[in-house]
Amino acid sequence: MDNIDKTGKNSDEAITITEFFHNIGSAFSYVKRKWITVVIFSLLCSLLGLMYAIFIKPDYTAVSTFVLEDGGKMASLGQYAGLASLAGVDLNSNSGLFQGDNILELYKSRTMIEKALLSKANFGNKNQQLIERYISSFNLRTKWKAKDDIQNITFSGDPGNFNRKQDSIITDLVDKFNKKMLTVNKIDKKLSIIAVQVTCKDELFAKEFTKKLVETVNEFYVQTKTKKSGQNVQILQHQADSVRRQLNSSIGGVASAIDAAPNANPQLLSLRVPSQRRQVDVQASSAVYGEIVKNLEIAQISLRQDIPLIQIIDQPVLPLENNRVTAAKGIILGFLLGGFVIVFGLMLKKLIFYS
């Protein structure tokens, strides 16, 4: 039968708890006796913290925010919808290509990142491709030379003509940007404000790449949103020009027919037939031309309505936000972290090996 003390607790359990607190106290005493070791280790860690603050390059974060508002159709155009549909202009349709979060994914696409990387920016009065700036900042050619002997590779010319190695390098960079460097999101789900954030150890690259990426994607966005409406305007303009030429030709034909018989005998009706035919052509062409011009005006209004509003709110400016660790902070954090580690290690050693 188990031994029960006066408090009703198992005596073995009471002894175990007593031994536990005794071992903890013994471990603290052991750490006190090793205070020199604790101080020396903490000082060494503070020195490591100082070295980290001095030699480790910080990450710079460039942020660009803009408001996006899709071009909506005016309610007043409803009365023209039926007429416009005859010309192939749909005033009531809304493209779903960039609705929801699709615009966010567009920023992460290979095509957009590649275009931004292959564009040029000014770095210290030097016009340079962004991809070349990135390669030189991180000494990638040195690594490529040792690995694949492709240190002389360039990225000029048409991207459609790039070879396998060039495409492979760009693919690797796109993956790295999407996983570690590029963040695109909405500041608030209820708002249309989008923030594009790029984090890189090269401050100038982070700034210029963010600006170029936003510029590239927004330009592509506008072109795609207005592509269908723009094509409708071009088709209607071509039709209007063609009918106008036909109308001019018909008007000239009427004059020529009249000139052919300037003093025609009124009794000879056959002499009036050519001019009357030309007049019918003029009337028909005039009616068709009027309708096409009307549809063209509506298509142009539709095109203007399709153009989305993209207004830049904030662009990255120097100096960029960074996670630089100051010397004082590195020393303090190194000392505290080192002290915690050595104290915990000594206590664990005492409890395990000397208990």
Side-chain angles (χ1 to χ4, degrees), residues 15-75:
I15 293 174
T16 301
I17 295 176
T18 302
E19 289 179 350
F20 173 76
F21 283 105
H22 174 74
N23 291 337
I24 293 295
S26 177
F28 274 110
S29 298
Y30 177 74
V31 170
K32 289 181 180 179
R33 294 194 300 270
K34 296 290 186 177
W35 68 270
I36 296 179
T37 302
V38 173
V39 172
I40 293 176
F41 187 82
S42 299
L43 290 175
L44 290 175
C45 288
S46 66
L47 181 60
L48 292 176
L50 175 61
M51 294 176 63
Y52 178 89
I54 294 175
F55 295 106
I56 299 299
K57 296 178 62 175
D59 289 323
Y60 294 93
T61 301
V63 180
S64 178
T65 59
F66 62 92
V67 62
L68 171 65
E69 185 67 29
D70 285 340
K73 308 298 181 186
M74 296 186 300

Side-chain angles (χ1 to χ4, degrees), residues 35 105 108 112 182 191 220 279-280 319-320 342:
W35 68 270
E105 294 303 320
K108 300 177 182 180
M112 296 296 103
L182 176 63
L191 302 177
F220 176 82
Q279 287 175 353
V280 171
L320 298 180
I342 189 62

Side-chain angles (χ1 to χ4, degrees), residues 125-156:
N125 297 324
K126 180 182 179 182
N127 211 26
Q128 186 180 21
Q129 273 186 312
L130 286 167
I131 191 171
E132 293 292 345
R133 171 74 183 196
Y134 185 87
I135 291 172
S136 61
S137 295
F138 294 93
N139 297 319
L140 296 184
R141 280 196 167 83
T142 302
K143 300 177 183 179
W144 295 341
K145 181 179 180 180
K147 183 179 179 181
D148 300 317
D149 195 27
I150 54 173
Q151 70 276 12
N152 295 324
I153 193 169
T154 62
F155 296 89
S156 58

